[in-house]
Amino acid sequence: MPNPKIVYPATYTPANAVAFANTDNSAATVSASTPLPVALGDGALAAMGSTTDTAAASDSATASLIALFKRLLGKFPAGLGQKTAAASLPVVLASDQGAITTAGVYNTAQPTLTGGQVGSLQLDSSGALAVRLQWSGGYIAGVSGNITDGATNSVNTIMTLTRGFLFNGSTWDRQKKPVAVSRIASSAASTNATVAKGGAGDIFAIQAYNTTTSVIYLKLYNKAAAPTVGTDTPIKTIAIAPSASLAASATWANGLYFSTGIAYALTAAAADSDTTAIAAGAIVGLNLDYQ
């Protein structure tokens, strides 16, 4: 059917005005207060809106396009760059997501990060993951490969160097081995008072041979100077049998600890107060292995 006829108002001048039909088929002149009507796509949305419109209260609210757009903008972070979790958009992996590949980077010099920084996994020049063991005091050293054992060729292995500790009664000492010897090749005709070490240490073994037909007593003192025999009190007295060597009782696998110093003497009687000198050459090959 033909379009309905538009009835122009008396003041309408076609040369300088545009008119449109109202619902009652009367003509309306386009002006700032009577804009040309525009139908939106689905017919349910309101007008474009004003820049002063408040953001829509929900995603499904009936609101202007500007109000809905403001709501959308409000869901984005305030700016670009790294943010806290609360200030970032949530990301959820799909339930059927396959394995995620973790990438690393090779640097000729390892980076130094500061608090809160995120860094890439570090690779060596072969693409293998670079790993350093760490504790609160620094990095743990002593991991190496290609160890040669002297009986076979070099083998591919990892050797971890560890150090044992032993309790000395009050503190923990690093496990040690003997590194020095105090010796008397042949005893003098005296008590042979000797200081082996003027500080804390450990005796690991003693060797000696008694050339006489009487027992001779080796007395050990916790002292940093030569003992005053008969006055100082020994911490250990070892009997060396006639015409015999010291037995296994003079060997300590973990060391016999002396907190002040290592000193010793030789007497002919067992009493702490004894000062009887032994004969020259009565004891030969006396060795104290200590650290």
Side-chain angles (χ1 to χ4, degrees):
M1 68 179 285
N3 292 327
K5 181 178 180 181
I6 295 176
V7 178
Y8 297 103
T11 59
Y12 172 68
T13 303
N16 58 16
V18 175
F20 62 91
N22 289 319
T23 56
D24 60 356
N25 289 329
S26 63
T29 303
V30 175
S31 65
S33 59
T34 310
L36 185 68
V38 177
L40 299 176
D42 61 5
L45 296 176
M48 183 71 70
S50 169
T51 57
T52 59
D53 286 355
T54 303
S58 69
D59 294 344
S60 59
T62 300
S64 68
L65 288 178
I66 290 180
L68 290 172
F69 189 66
K70 284 185 176 180
R71 177 174 176 81
L72 175 63
L73 291 177
K75 295 183 177 182
F76 286 93
L80 299 177
Q82 191 177 40
K83 298 288 188 299
T84 62
S88 303
L89 291 176
V91 176
V92 179
L93 297 178
S95 59
D96 57 351
Q97 172 70 49
I100 298 177
T101 301
T102 301
V105 62
Y106 168 66
N107 290 302
T108 54
Q110 296 297 312
T112 300
L113 303 179
T114 58
Q117 284 189 309
V118 176
S120 300
L121 293 176
Q122 298 298 306
L123 306 179
D124 64 16
S125 58
S126 300
L129 182 64
V131 177
R132 288 194 294 182
L133 303 178
Q134 185 178 14
W135 65 297
S136 59
Y139 292 104
I140 300 175
V143 179
S144 60
N146 295 326
I147 305 301
T148 301
D149 59 13
T152 63
N153 292 327
S154 178
V155 293
N156 291 323
T157 184
I158 294 178
M159 179 178 68
T160 303
L161 305 179
T162 59
R163 298 184 177 95
F165 286 82
L166 297 172
F167 190 62
N168 63 31
S170 58
T171 60
W172 287 91
D173 290 335
R174 182 179 293 178
Q175 195 169 9
K176 308 167 186 175
K177 64 181 179 180
V179 296
V181 176
S182 177
R183 72 189 189 96
I184 296 177
S186 181
S187 63
S190 69
T191 58
N192 295 269
T194 304
V195 59
K197 184 177 182 181
D202 296 89
I203 295 178
F204 290 88
I206 303 174
Q207 307 91 35
Y209 184 78
N210 182 355
T211 65
T212 73
T213 57
S214 301
V215 178
I216 293 178
Y217 298 90
L218 172 63
K219 296 175 180 178
L220 305 178
Y221 299 84
N222 185 24
K223 191 172 181 180
T228 303
V229 180
T231 300
D232 293 332
T233 302
I235 64 169
K236 192 175 184 68
T237 299
I238 301 174
I240 307 175
S243 302
S245 299
L246 275 179
S249 60
T251 300
W252 301 272
N254 293 322
L256 178 62
Y257 179 67
F258 291 73
S259 60
T260 303
I262 301 174
Y264 59 95
L266 295 162
T267 64
D272 291 347
S273 59
D274 180 60
T275 59
T276 305
I278 65 171
I283 293 293
V284 294
L286 173 59
N287 298 279
L288 274 76
D289 305 331
Y290 70 93
Q291 198 280 346

